[in-house]
Amino acid sequence: MKFGYFDDSQMEYVITTPRTPRPWINYLGSQNFFGLISNTAGGYCFYKDARLRRLTRYRYNQVPVDTGGRYFYINDGGAVWSPSWQPVQAELDGYECRHGLGYTRITGVKNDLKVEALFFVPLDHDCEIHRVTLTNQGKEPKSFKLFSLVEFCLWNAYDDMTNFQRNFNTGEVEVDGSVIYHKTEYRERRNHFAFYGVNHPLAGFDTDRHSFTGLYNGFHNPEVVVNGQSRNSVADGWSPIASHCLAITLAPGESRELIFVLGYVENDPEQKWERPGVINKTKARRILADYASPDRVGQALADLRDYWTGLLGVYTVASADAKLNRMVNIWNPYQCMVTFNLSRSASYFESGIGRGIGFRDSNQDILGFVGMVPERARARILDLAATQFPDGSAYHQYQPLTKRGNADAGSGFNDDPLWLLYSVIAYLKESGDYAILDEVVPFNNDPAVTATLFEHLECSIRHVWEHRGPHGLPLIGRADWNDCLNLNCYSTTPDESFQTCTSKDGKTAESVFVAGMLVHIGPEYARLCRKLGRDDAAASVLEKVAAIRQAVLDAGFDGEWFLRAYDDSGRKVGSRENDEGQIFIEPQGMCGMARIGEEKGLTLKALDAVKQRLDTAHGLRLVNPAYSGYRLELGEISTYPPGYKENAGIFCHNNPWVMIAETMVGRAERAFEYYRKIAPAYREEISDLHRMEPYVYSQMITGSDAKRHGEAKNSWLTGTAAWNFVAITQYILGVRPDFEGLVVDPCLPAELAEVTVTRKFRGVAYRIQIANRRSGHYRLTVAGREVDGKVIPLTAGAGPVVEVYCET
Amino acid sequence: MKFGYFDDSQMEYVITTPRTPRPWINYLGSQNFFGLISNTAGGYCFYKDARLRRLTRYRYNQVPVDTGGRYFYINDGGAVWSPSWQPVQAELDGYECRHGLGYTRITGVKNDLKVEALFFVPLDHDCEIHRVTLTNQGKEPKSFKLFSLVEFCLWNAYDDMTNFQRNFNTGEVEVDGSVIYHKTEYRERRNHFAFYGVNHPLAGFDTDRHSFTGLYNGFHNPEVVVNGQSRNSVADGWSPIASHCLAITLAPGESRELIFVLGYVENDPEQKWERPGVINKTKARRILADYASPDRVGQALADLRDYWTGLLGVYTVASADAKLNRMVNIWNPYQCMVTFNLSRSASYFESGIGRGIGFRDSNQDILGFVGMVPERARARILDLAATQFPDGSAYHQYQPLTKRGNADAGSGFNDDPLWLLYSVIAYLKESGDYAILDEVVPFNNDPAVTATLFEHLECSIRHVWEHRGPHGLPLIGRADWNDCLNLNCYSTTPDESFQTCTSKDGKTAESVFVAGMLVHIGPEYARLCRKLGRDDAAASVLEKVAAIRQAVLDAGFDGEWFLRAYDDSGRKVGSRENDEGQIFIEPQGMCGMARIGEEKGLTLKALDAVKQRLDTAHGLRLVNPAYSGYRLELGEISTYPPGYKENAGIFCHNNPWVMIAETMVGRAERAFEYYRKIAPAYREEISDLHRMEPYVYSQMITGSDAKRHGEAKNSWLTGTAAWNFVAITQYILGVRPDFEGLVVDPCLPAELAEVTVTRKFRGVAYRIQIANRRSGHYRLTVAGREVDGKVIPLTAGAGPVVEVYCET
């Protein structure tokens, strides 16, 4: 069952009912100002940091779901409704929500009045624009009142939802003409305020929530809207809001465009005040003036569209498979960009206010995003490396506002160091900017302790090498990529988090997965070192890779598949010897990509075991059989009910590792089958089961042990986006950057006989026609000339477009 | 304007409209199981620890306010309503809420159906009983459906409202007959579950919230109730609830009594399971069986009433002032008991989930509570002392479940150590149990580092003595009683809490308030030491008291009133030299009680300054003039808008210190005037302004600088309860325990010409008739015999009641 459709020409997903199986959302913003918005106008916005600079209030896990957002109300002769359906939930004569690239357009029609609300964050100011277009579709003149509503968050989202003893005493606002300024705590340590204005005179306003709603009414039936009359309340303490009231009259057929701006301003300490107690509004007025006219707003929207068209033009595909095309050309790179912007810090349901920018997360996000704006990847890489410690380990998260490591989020994840190699190598292959390796970067944000980025990478490798266990495999630490496999925690207390509880400095528990990572990325690092003339470093890492590859061969293969780990007692994890948790997906994917033992057939064996033991109708499970009870020596993975999360859920992040490994052994059909099972556009028809948005990946789909097998959870901000983009674009379609040029090495199923990929790479656009003959013979021609090997050399072409032909 | 009335004969406050100016609440429970319940059945319950063992979910700062609780719904032929008005908000034909001592009874009538819901926590089991009495008041038979609803919290209230990525995957329940068991995470580290059952067969049930409400409906219009048909949903992940559906038919005039039990059970590890995956329900079944009959429930309610009657019988007054009587006899001691039970850990609006048991808080709570159950005060004193460090300082809070100090809540409050002296001395005067001083108590909960309780007290004194500043006054540390006067913090970053941010180990900033504390309590401690034969310790503390008294006289008086402090630069705080914050209430009250410089008239001067500069129509402000902007060197106090909280709000906790000081200089009228201004029963008529419950104190009433002067905030759990109880009972009515017997030293206004106090003290009941002649002559007779001095000797009487007559 579907709840909308893809409009590929507009690059939009069009939702045709407000009653989606969950609120389906979009992200607004691209630099510093971000918003989340649902198909019924729910959501919130923030400046840079979703926790520390939350501008509007949002309540997670609400009843009814998704209450609180940017709302408009119509009181049309006593009939009260909202064009976004929520929060009033009055039935509409017409409803449509179009989620586009960086904007959302919601249209509601009732009683001959059409209200279209367009929401976007422009490229050049820290604000959201809400453009409301009112049209009288009837034959009579219409007079009605339009009310706006946002509820302000008192800046720190965590504090805002817990420290009421303080918060209920601090709220302050100013009202100036048609603009409401939220200035809570501006008097003290803060130098910032928010504002919400409209380019139209007001019939009234409210800034105090209880005055607006009444004490026992809600956002769905606020007294002010029901009565059709603002109270001109000025908040003192409690909960500041901004609500404008506009009295509008429209002739038959007439349209009116109103521009609301919700913005954020910081002032220098010496310029904070206009006069004692009155904030300096100069910057806010400048922004409001800039968007006072519809023309200027139209231009800002066009600029935004150009921005996105540019970004998405880096990699496009034309094939007979419309779902493939829309994933590769629009939605997957769009999700990659959003995920890169926010890491995991601003979720709609699942993350609340606890997360910052993840070290492991962002390094992987870069893999999907780096082609679009390499210079932003560069900056992020340097930020991430600066949260590393001199021994190569790292804070697991940092807050984007302060860029400092967040000790509350834990550390000691022994895969973290190696992910920095992945991002740096991907960046170098994309950009050729080797100078980044000479950048001087602090450790732990301490300017007194620094090293070049190259030395940071060496630290990462050293960390793995110097933390090996009895079998010569890397120690797992608190956990590796699988946060929930906690082999050193031994937690017996229900009130502690596995991510931060005491973890012994164990010398026994080893990770086959981290071993696979080093064997996978190490040789690429060696190639880099040789390019740099650092043959010593190249030789050194290859020695380590060889040793660890051998350790995996000796102690990491269980006969039919790769082991997952050794626990703290030296017992196998993910082995046929276990009663539960016999096979894990991660080492099969990673060791497969690293081609460990491929020559002995181990990759094929392992991938066949994945097919046989982990595959379901909705993707590949993480582990099987699921753990039925808590295991002290394994930790959090065994605390989840079977079929959920790491305990045999379908973790979409690691499915693409298996797809990539399948392309390495040439099994195109199977790689693509796995791709289609979890790619959201292919799941659109089962939206009633899948529940989450059909245009972006979710972190997890419940496994076959769960009661509702196939239900997705935690959409949008997940490493799933980057790795699936890598799998489909670089390994299935097979076009990927390398140090020496663009590799063309497709591994396509029969159904994709003819495919054209365009790729902008280092200033050149390549149009690559792929003829998928499956002949066993590979042929590559660049600008009409045949080339040896599978790489389009960097010197191969100039001019706007280079034509490439590849036959397999 | 009133929203109800006091029913003194039933010891109830009767609320006659569901639309109170805020939800007006009651606390249920007295030992380990506690609940909070509003007059519309909102609220939550928990076992021992409001943060770590929250049983039902409550959302703070909700829109509409106070959604979520223990709800009953009626579907009577399609008409849907709730007897508590909320959450449906259907208009009722009749409504009444009676908040009594440990129980709440809510009655709603509609369409000839009367539904009375009685909520209480019995004395002998860890559960809430919800007794629902249904009566057909009409002339026709009635058939309808009754639905119950609670939403389960996933145990840790903080985690429950932030860690959705985990929570949405963990929920599990079992349904067995008419009982719904909530067992989330029971499979792992937890050994506990909750249950909600009813003594009646079910027509259906629901345990999954979205199945019950529908995705876009709320608690006010759940689909299941609207449709009149349960879905028999079994929660897997998302949000587990418990809803029973009962089909009921009543003949005209017929009544039916149903008993719902919401309980908590812990099982031994080896007895967790009935069979694999099925929880052992033995203990739950035992509780359910115990309350299966109305008789047994009636008995449990009678037991509860007896329990409270016993507690409240310790101190009673009979006077011509009904408000005074109900405060002293019912509501103030009731609030003291609740506050003692929970410290500040379980608030309805203002505290959320962040608080544990306060060190300073609980030591003061004991002052109000100790007469009622001295043995519980004893246990608490030992718990508190165990969170002290060897240098006398202490964790500022600890979690009641673990009894361990909570590092997140900060430390370094230099008043903390001395409050332990207050509680121990109060306990000894009440009980005569000097053996407590020999109890061996750990420091920082470390069994390896211990000392006797007496030595703990010595550590407290030593801490003050060894932390003195340039004027010989005690150093203030992070802050003293006034959390918000942070003289060593210098916080410039808006995202840090003053309670936990870096505070320098300053050697300059001094507190006149802590000086006053030592001079106030030190001589009492010396008396104790002499009783113990510890003349050395007595001499030692009196030497310190003398030195600090002299330091206050030399450097702590500002000409007309006591200074508040010296800041980190050695500048005066709370001085006429300041432009703002010239006078603070705390040192006037504390130095007044300590009688520092009374012989020179300083007490009178200071108290007159309080009257002149701090008094308002709604009580005494904390400071004046308010701070208009942030002051880096003063900290949080200057971050609040004027009139709120510490920045010139009326902090009801410190008003009684001034009342007590006024009695010490014999100004009865003024002491009683201050008492009446803030005592809630006297504010009942202005409930529309006051807003909070008229039967319990609030922490603060907004000061005259605030826009709504006279509005109260943060009711129930506040040290205000204890100190006002001390002021009215021990100093205005003047009956207080001492080491040698019961002191009778009233200081009554003219209007209270004849007053009778009864006091149970060390096994004897004294009936004390006070004739307030204001003659200047004092006369005391005990059992007919005149006594020298103002103390009823311990040996004075035996038998059930000793008659005492006091004339002044």
Side-chain angles (χ1 to χ4, degrees), chain B residues 4 6 39 81 94 150 153 278 286 315 341 382 401 405 417 435 535 679 713 730 747 767:
Chain B
F6 287 94
N39 58 310
W81 57 283
V150 299
C153 181
V278 177
R286 202 176 301 145
Y315 193 120
N341 283 336
L382 297 176
L401 193 73
D535 290 352
K713 296 192 180 187
Q730 299 190 10
C747 182
R767 181 157 57 212

Side-chain angles (χ1 to χ4, degrees), chain B residues 590-605:
Chain B
M590 189 53 78
C591 295
M593 292 197 295
R595 317 185 90 131
I596 297 176
E598 187 179 339
E599 65 289 356
K600 303 180 185 177
L602 304 195
T603 309
L604 275 175
K605 274 191 183 174

